[in-house]
Amino acid sequence: MKLLEERILAEGKAVSEEILKVDSFINHQVDPVLMQQIGEAFAAHFKDRGITKVVTIESSGIAPAQMTALALGVPLVIFKKQPSRVLNDNLRQTVVTSFTKGTSYELTLAQDFLTEEDHVLIIDDFLANGEAATGCIRLLRLSHATVAGVGVLIEKSFQPGREKLTEQGHEVYALARIGRLEKDRIEFLPADDAH
Ligand code: G4P
């Protein structure tokens, strides 16, 4: 997505060879107009797939996932990372380990919100090692729901996330694909919507 790539070049900062900072428009301050365009781009690609729900993990995936759900006309389900006092019955859970952050959390879903009738699109901001998306897929399986695909804003193609997911037969649709990060230099590969 040209708009997203331009924004990454204008405002993104490679803080190391692995980490891209996009705090000014995606993860901390959020540009709602860009999120709407992103939601429409995902919806245009996945519109004829019989998707019944969009899923994301709190917190940075929520803004683009909400816009995608709106454009597709389906509900958004947010998988939780924090234990909640009100969320304690009939839960499905799986542990996800983030290599980037060196932390683990128990990804949690109240079982009422996904059933075997659901065909689900997973949306997230970054695809790095694929652990978050793989955790989502485990919870979808526990709910007997099916996976329509994984849509990400930014794929770091030098990390193994895409490979892991495609090996399992899941489609990855990335609006920006970063082939290489160096301090003050960001190189893109052709994005999935460029074809
Ligand atoms: P994976 O899910 O693909 O395996 O990635 P990994 O566990 O390595 O990292 C997951 C967390 O790190 C996610 O945030 C993801 O957004 C963030 N992340 C990964 N690479 C980058 C990067 O280059 N830049 C930035 N800014 N973040 C990155 P999270 O823990 O789910 O937190 P949240 O932001 O959604 O609350």
Side-chain angles (χ1 to χ4, degrees):
M1 186 185 188
K2 217 164 173 20
L3 260 178
L4 179 59
E5 289 174 353
E6 284 168 2
R7 198 66 183 272
I8 291 169
L9 287 177
E11 293 183 36
K13 289 199 178 58
V15 294
S16 69
E17 288 181 6
E18 303 227 313
I19 300 292
L20 175 69
K21 201 168 169 208
V22 286
D23 281 10
S24 64
F25 60 109
I26 294 178
N27 313 114
H28 197 351
Q29 174 168 265
V30 176
D31 180 340
V33 175
L34 180 66
M35 291 303 150
Q36 186 176 30
Q37 290 160 328
I38 283 169
E40 284 165 3
F42 284 133
H45 179 72
F46 286 101
K47 67 178 184 311
D48 297 322
R49 308 281 188 90
I51 289 163
T52 61
K53 290 193 180 167
V54 172
V55 152
T56 193
I57 298 183
E58 61 180 352
S59 58
S60 307
I62 295 175
Q66 147 77 3
M67 288 307 191
T68 307
L70 182 68
L72 286 169
V74 299
L76 166 65
V77 177
I78 302 164
F79 288 174
K80 306 283 188 177
K81 289 195 294 205
Q82 307 288 342
S84 154
R85 269 194 231 151
V86 288
L87 200 66
N88 49 22
D89 283 337
N90 304 320
L91 301 182
R92 299 195 194 283
Q93 293 186 301
T94 186
V95 174
V96 172
T97 301
S98 162
F99 292 111
T100 304
K101 297 196 171 167
T103 52
S104 290
Y105 54 87
E106 203 139 20
L107 196 63
T108 302
L109 159 73
Q111 68 180 16
D112 296 353
F113 298 125
L114 286 176
T115 71
E116 62 197 6
E117 318 222 311
D118 284 312
H119 192 47
V120 175
L121 173 61
I122 298 166
I123 297 289
D124 213 349
D125 56 343
F126 276 95
L127 177 61
N129 295 291
E131 291 303 314
T134 306
C136 288
I137 292 166
R138 284 199 298 276
L139 281 192
L140 294 181
R141 289 226 175 91
L142 289 172
S143 309
H144 306 287
T146 50
V147 183
V150 179
V152 294
L153 276 59
I154 303 172
E155 169 191 308
K156 293 190 293 179
S157 310
F158 52 87
Q159 292 181 309
R162 172 181 286 257
E163 219 173 285
K164 264 193 218 165
L165 294 169
T166 50
E167 268 170 11
Q168 294 170 50
H170 301 298
E171 182 193 356
V172 173
Y173 190 74
L175 298 181
R177 301 181 67 214
I178 296 180
R180 197 182 160 121
L181 268 185
E182 280 171 33
K183 209 164 181 346
D184 303 323
R185 190 177 163 78
I186 300 165
E187 284 178 19
F188 292 106
L189 297 178
D192 293 312
D193 63 335
H195 311 297

